[in-house]
Amino acid sequence: MRRTIPIFVFMVVWSAPALAQPEQPPAAASGRPTTDEGWSVTIGAAPVVSPAWQGSKDYVLSVFPDLRVNYGDTVFASIPDGIGWNAVNSGGWKAGPIAKLRFGRDEDGSGSPFAVTGGSDALVGLGDIGATAEIGGFVERRFGQRQQWRGRIEARRGFGGHEGTVGDVSLSYQLRSGRTIVNIGPRATVASSGFTQTYFGIDSEQSVRSGLAVYRPNGGLVSYGVGGSLVRPLDRRSAITAFSSLEHLGGVAKNSPLVIERGRATQFTLGVGYGYRF
């Protein structure tokens, strides 16, 4: 059964696990300082082509809503970035708590409740995975002559669909050409066995139902790759963003019989979004 999930706290990677999103909202892309005091709200939508589930060889087209709420440069809440607080915000450093929502996975469909076409029957017999609240913290550092480099680390503990720990690390370079902003860089995700067993493991009951061999992965590297985005402001309140990522599953994921027999280790995502700030 498809689960209803609050859109406001939608995570990732869209689910993939870290899609390239603009590192600044359209307000910043259009020249408005991100340190303005007071609340701002951005709404929009983004059609995205992505794997039906992490490790899938089948693709789906989804139309994701995009909602972003900021209070100056202190509190942020957005669909791809979660809800967080820049408790430390000085000298190029940012750090604080963060919470995200990872969508579940249906054995008769995909991991995207916003899918409009496409899907996969590779998960039949593995059962559904519920949505997961992931709570933890982040540390970010901007550096370079114009602070064009950004390094970021996140660590989050799952509650719900999986009970593991997930860590994301990324490095990006920002280039400006006129009003257009380009971000590109590598990223990787590691996770404990509580995560890898949920999404890539196969217990004895699942093995009987699905026909796949039993697989009990340890924690380790889940994925690594590169992502990028291009933000083009239309005016001081709106912008169009194109984003893409190319990732490869790490050993604990790609060695799963699910991926070997029914999926693909290389994952590609492409999308475009529009946002308007009030």
Side-chain angles (χ1 to χ4, degrees):
M1 179 181 298
R2 182 70 64 189
R3 292 168 295 278
T4 301
I5 301 172
I7 293 175
F8 183 72
V9 290
F10 164 48
M11 181 181 172
V12 181
V13 112
W14 347 82
S15 71
L19 292 186
Q21 293 296 310
E23 295 182 1
Q24 303 179 58
S30 61
R32 183 180 295 274
T34 58
T35 54
D36 283 357
E37 295 298 329
W39 293 97
S40 66
V41 177
T42 301
I43 61 173
V48 180
V49 177
S50 63
W53 44 273
Q54 190 173 11
S56 176
K57 63 182 179 181
D58 301 311
Y59 281 75
V60 297
L61 171 63
S62 304
V63 179
F64 291 98
D66 192 1
L67 172 64
R68 302 170 184 267
V69 179
N70 290 78
Y71 184 76
D73 196 26
T74 304
V75 176
F76 59 90
S78 74
I79 291 176
D81 300 325
I83 299 174
W85 171 39
N86 293 322
V88 175
N89 191 353
S90 178
W93 288 93
K94 289 184 179 180
I98 193 167
K100 293 184 175 182
L101 181 68
R102 183 181 296 269
F103 282 136
R105 191 180 73 184
D106 293 339
E107 69 171 346
D108 60 351
S110 72
S112 171
F114 301 109
V116 295
T117 185
S120 172
D121 60 2
L123 303 173
V124 174
L126 299 180
D128 295 343
I129 301 173
T132 304
E134 296 180 348
I135 301 174
F138 69 93
V139 176
E140 175 182 311
R141 168 66 168 165
R142 287 189 177 273
F143 57 95
Q145 186 176 4
R146 292 172 292 176
Q147 294 194 332
Q148 68 271 37
W149 290 95
R150 184 183 79 151
R152 185 179 176 94
I153 297 175
E154 285 190 20
R156 305 178 305 276
R157 171 70 161 79
F159 299 90
H162 78 80
E163 301 291 329
T165 300
V166 181
D168 295 323
V169 58
S170 64
L171 177 67
S172 65
Y173 179 80
Q174 185 176 96
L175 174 67
R176 291 176 178 264
S177 176
R179 300 172 62 208
T180 302
I181 302 173
V182 178
N183 294 285
I184 189 169
R187 70 276 315 281
T189 296
V190 297
S192 69
S193 59
F195 177 92
T196 60
Q197 179 62 44
T198 299
Y199 285 93
F200 300 101
I202 302 168
D203 62 27
S204 56
E205 293 184 2
Q206 291 173 321
S207 177
V208 171
R209 296 196 304 263
S210 68
L212 297 170
V214 172
Y215 180 62
R216 297 186 175 87
N218 297 317
L221 180 64
V222 175
S223 66
Y224 59 94
V226 62
S229 65
L230 186 152
V231 182
R232 176 62 181 177
L234 301 178
D235 51 42
R236 291 184 62 83
R237 290 188 176 273
S238 63
I240 293 177
T241 301
F243 52 90
S244 181
S245 68
L246 179 64
E247 298 186 336
H248 193 76
L249 297 182
V252 295
K254 73 177 181 180
N255 291 332
S256 170
L258 172 62
V259 177
I260 293 174
E261 298 184 26
R262 302 181 182 179
R264 181 177 296 130
T266 300
Q267 307 278 276
F268 177 73
T269 301
L270 177 66
V272 62
Y274 170 82
Y276 183 88
R277 186 182 66 86
F278 292 91

